[in-house]
Amino acid sequence: MGNDKIKLPELSVDPIKKKESLYKIQEAAAQKRLVYCPSWLEILKSQLAYISRGYWIGQGAFAGVGILVFLLLGNLSREDVPYLFYASVLAASIGIVTVMELGRSQSCQMGELEESCYFNLGQLWGIKMVLSGSINVAILTGVIGGLSRKTDFGILALCLYILVPFVLSHGCYLLLLFWGRNMGKKWPQITAAVFMGLAAMIPGAFPGVYRQIYLPVWGGVFLIGVVLLALELHSLFKKLSVGGEKICWS
Amino acid sequence: MLELKLDRITKQYKEKIAVDHISVSFVNGVYGLLGENGAGKTTLLRMICNLLPPGEGEIVCSGIPIRNMGREYRRLLGYLPQEFGYYPEFTAWRYLMYLASLKALPKELARERCRELLKLVGLEGEERQKIKTFSGGMVRRLGIAQALLNDPEILILDEPTSGLDPRERIRFRNIISSLGKNRIVILSTHIVADVAYIADEILLMKKGKIIGSGTPEELVKRMNGCVWECLIPGDKVGDYTEKYPVSNLKNVDNQVRLRMLSVDKPCANAVPAEPGLEDVYLYFTEEERGAYEDTADRNL
């Protein structure tokens, strides 16, 4: 069996040339810059550690208030108005926590520095918005689920009722965040949250009317709100992609 | 070796031209961007950092426009803005680790770099302190440390010694001088001493233009014969300061020793003085240039 094997001739290696080649490879390797490219999950995990305590307290407070209100109202008679009132105020004001977290980059004069990093401000804000959006949607899903048991509105009517103030308020907060001298300041956001909360109570004051017109009217408002919010976000991230002049400069 | 090339870079805000058709190339070394407030230094540095798109022209890094490089350009960059802040609840360590995460440094490497850099800038032992308890100079040193986290090949420092005391300025100069061998370092300042000893090349900027460049020695040499010192009576000081740019004024007994710029001997007892970089800077930042204009202009 061993005689069937093909024997290859031995190749002679010039030790000097071998040494030179290895040296060249070593030099080329030394000049190469090793780069680390973390995955999106790693980025998300690392940034979670740096989100402010105030954000988590705020989010927790909103979730807690939501649960508390529904537990308290659970003992009342089955009336649509109080549930819808409080749920819509919650939906209208929950976004303020996200926006105030985003605004810290400006208020603490960190925006310009963050914008110059590998993961720049746009990407950082994208991560925070996705995280916040997920948490807020989860809270509101719980609210809608709770409302569906306490009221006789359909799921679609409840979703529209909750999502319209949610979407419109986010559009308003983002606009105020990046508008002129208000950049990074908290008081316009807080004022807007109060007004948005009050405005969100309006449909709840006329439940009968809402029941009849929610789909065409509130549905239309929701679509317009989504489009406007999408345009606003597009404009924001486009500005940040070319340096973020006026948004992040100290 | 990296080359950063600015090709007719221009930035205009309405009617004001902040940066006016600047073309310059940078290779490894320390470049001092010297100019008074409002000369356009910060605008130029922001464009180099890709934080501000130029209105005209192109910035190219080793042949590739930086606007096309995106995050790969930012990976090469270390930047210290003129004004920067911090999250008030952050400690020095947390601040550096946070920025290290934004600069895509792996955690172990980030820890090692943070320790090294805190030691380098003299903040060893302060890592657990909240930044809000730091003095202005300590905050500035922390800023310098963060700019070096990713061992950048292009280091941009905008007024880095602002708020530092003389001892800290010297420490800073020594740090920057050692860094310039293997990277491009561009630091902007209106303080001549910051760059006089460490810059390989100085770029003088005024009203958005680079109006002079060269090594410190070359620039100073061009002022030969234009710097004078003399003793004059105190009541004549006003006459001389109106007519000539005065770089120094000192009371000596009942008279005043003036150091000024002039092509011709300004008074009978004037003696030629060894020019310095401050004289060069004074010459360029003067709005009205009198009798010294011809010779100095030709020289520069």
Side-chain angles (χ1 to χ4, degrees):
Chain A
M1 183 88 88
N3 293 330
D4 293 342
K5 285 185 182 175
I6 299 168
K7 279 194 177 171
L8 292 170
E10 271 191 29
L11 297 168
S12 61
V13 176
D14 184 337
I16 296 169
K17 279 190 178 172
K18 181 180 174 182
K19 197 175 174 183
E20 280 174 10
S21 301
L22 285 172
Y23 181 71
K24 281 183 185 170
I25 293 168
Q26 197 178 16
E27 266 200 339
Q31 282 173 16
K32 282 280 181 194
R33 191 182 174 95
L34 293 173
V35 295
Y36 167 63
C37 296
S39 64
W40 279 107
L41 191 61
E42 281 172 316
I43 299 165
L44 186 65
K45 273 166 61 180
S46 73
Q47 290 311 310
L48 273 175
Y50 296 109
I51 290 177
S52 70
R53 201 178 296 173
Y55 171 82
W56 296 115
I57 292 171
Q59 286 287 83
F62 272 101
V65 162
I67 294 167
L68 200 65
V69 163
F70 277 91
L71 284 175
L72 288 173
L73 290 176
N75 295 326
L76 296 178
S77 62
R78 194 175 155 151
E79 296 244 347
D80 299 334
V81 171
Y83 289 116
L84 290 177
F85 263 150
Y86 292 113
S88 62
V89 169
L90 184 75
S93 45
I94 200 171
I96 190 143
V97 179
T98 307
V99 166
M100 286 174 82
E101 177 66 16
L102 296 180
R104 270 165 50 89
S105 292
Q106 295 163 319
S107 60
C108 298
Q109 292 190 292
M110 280 290 289
E112 192 170 346
L113 201 48
E114 287 166 340
E115 180 67 1
S116 69
C117 292
Y118 180 78
F119 295 120
N120 65 4
L121 197 61
Q123 288 155 343
L124 201 59
W125 280 355
I127 289 171
K128 287 183 179 179
M129 283 183 190
V130 165
L131 176 70
S132 290
S134 306
I135 294 173
N136 292 342
V137 165
I139 293 172
L140 293 179
T141 303
V143 166
I144 290 169
L147 275 176
S148 66
R149 287 183 211 148
K150 300 289 183 186
T151 70
D152 54 2
F153 278 104
I155 286 286
L156 182 62
L158 288 171
C159 285
L160 282 176
Y161 189 85
I162 296 299
L163 287 175
V164 166
F166 181 70
V167 167
L168 292 181
S169 63
H170 275 75
C172 182
Y173 299 144
L174 282 175
L175 191 67
L176 285 173
L177 184 64
F178 305 116
W179 184 29
R181 293 179 187 177
N182 292 328
M183 280 195 271
K185 289 185 183 161
K186 290 181 183 170
W187 62 262
Q189 310 296 331
I190 294 169
T191 311
V194 170
F195 276 113
M196 295 303 295
L198 291 171
M201 288 182 182
I202 295 171
F206 309 98
V209 176
Y210 181 74
R211 229 181 269 273
Q212 286 169 13
I213 63 169
Y214 77 87
L215 191 57
V217 176
W218 231 225
V221 171
F222 174 69
L223 285 172
I224 292 168
V226 165
V227 168
L228 288 175
L229 183 61
L231 287 172
E232 213 175 322
L233 288 171
H234 174 76
S235 166
L236 170 66
F237 283 103
K238 195 174 175 192
K239 280 180 194 169
L240 287 172
S241 73
V242 288
E245 185 180 352
K246 295 179 189 172
I247 292 176
C248 61
W249 286 6
S250 303
Chain B
M1 189 168 66
L2 212 67
E3 187 189 8
L4 192 63
K5 198 173 167 187
L6 279 59
D7 184 20
R8 287 165 292 131
I9 293 299
T10 305
K11 186 68 182 178
Q12 185 167 351
Y13 294 103
K14 290 182 183 172
E15 281 165 22
K16 179 175 163 69
I17 301 176
V19 173
D20 192 355
H21 294 90
I22 287 181
S23 293
V24 68
S25 280
F26 300 100
V27 293
N28 285 357
V30 180
Y31 296 84
L33 188 60
L34 196 57
E36 58 185 356
N37 293 330
K41 303 187 298 294
T42 296
T43 305
L44 181 63
L45 294 183
R46 278 173 171 161
M47 287 195 282
I48 292 173
C49 291
N50 209 18
L51 294 175
L52 177 64
E56 284 176 43
E58 191 81 80
I59 300 176
V60 171
C61 177
S62 294
I64 307 170
I66 63 170
R67 58 182 164 79
N68 294 343
M69 290 178 72
R71 66 168 72 173
E72 289 312 312
Y73 180 70
R74 295 196 299 274
R75 198 193 274 281
L76 304 172
L77 207 57
Y79 176 48
L80 177 64
Q82 185 175 3
E83 286 175 34
F84 69 97
Y86 48 86
Y87 296 119
E89 71 277 11
F90 274 17
T91 60
W93 181 264
R94 192 169 163 81
Y95 180 80
L96 289 180
M97 287 298 288
Y98 169 65
L99 286 165
S101 73
L102 293 185
K103 295 182 188 220
L105 265 65
K107 253 192 176 160
E108 275 314 308
L109 179 62
R111 287 196 191 103
E112 200 180 303
R113 289 292 291 160
C114 290
R115 274 191 284 267
E116 278 170 18
L117 290 167
L118 284 169
K119 189 175 177 181
L120 181 72
V121 299
L123 290 174
E124 201 178 18
E126 307 289 342
E127 53 268 2
R128 302 291 168 200
Q129 300 304 316
K130 289 204 175 155
I131 305 172
K132 62 186 177 188
T133 64
F134 281 11
S135 67
M138 289 167 81
V139 172
R140 186 57 60 166
R141 280 191 268 152
L142 188 65
I144 292 164
Q146 67 77 28
L148 296 170
L149 273 170
N150 56 328
D151 195 20
E153 292 187 46
I154 303 170
L155 181 61
I156 309 291
L157 307 168
D158 195 353
E159 309 269 356
T161 59
S162 172
L164 299 186
D165 64 37
R167 190 188 187 89
E168 287 166 334
R169 281 175 189 273
I170 292 166
R171 183 204 286 266
F172 160 79
R173 284 206 299 258
N174 294 338
I175 294 169
I176 297 303
S177 197
S178 64
L179 293 173
K181 287 175 204 152
N182 302 316
R183 72 195 84 226
I184 298 169
V185 179
I186 305 171
L187 73 99
S188 84
T189 183
H190 56 269
I191 299 168
V192 173
D194 284 350
V195 292
Y197 303 109
I198 60 170
D200 298 308
E201 187 169 334
I202 289 177
L203 305 166
L204 288 154
M205 196 164 175
K206 184 176 179 180
K207 290 183 181 174
K209 290 183 195 267
I210 300 289
I211 49 172
S213 64
T215 64
E217 296 76 23
E218 283 169 1
L219 290 171
V220 164
K221 197 175 172 184
R222 293 171 190 174
M223 294 298 293
N224 278 343
C226 297
V227 182
W228 303 87
E229 283 189 0
C230 58
L231 275 171
I232 57 162
D235 58 348
K236 298 286 179 195
V237 170
D239 297 338
Y240 281 89
T241 53
E242 266 182 32
K243 196 175 173 189
Y244 303 105
V246 172
S247 59
N248 198 37
L249 190 154
K250 187 178 177 183
N251 289 319
V252 178
D253 298 325
N254 294 326
Q255 294 184 298
V256 177
R257 178 177 284 126
L258 287 184
R259 181 186 173 94
M260 57 193 146
L261 306 181
S262 175
V263 168
D264 303 313
K265 196 169 175 179
C267 57
N269 69 345
V271 292
E274 193 71 31
L277 208 54
E278 278 196 356
D279 302 306
V280 176
Y281 181 72
L282 181 66
Y283 167 75
F284 280 104
T285 54
E286 274 291 300
E287 283 296 329
E288 291 167 13
R289 299 179 299 179
Y292 63 96
E293 186 169 328
D294 293 335
T295 301
D297 263 355
R298 282 201 301 271
N299 287 347
L300 287 155

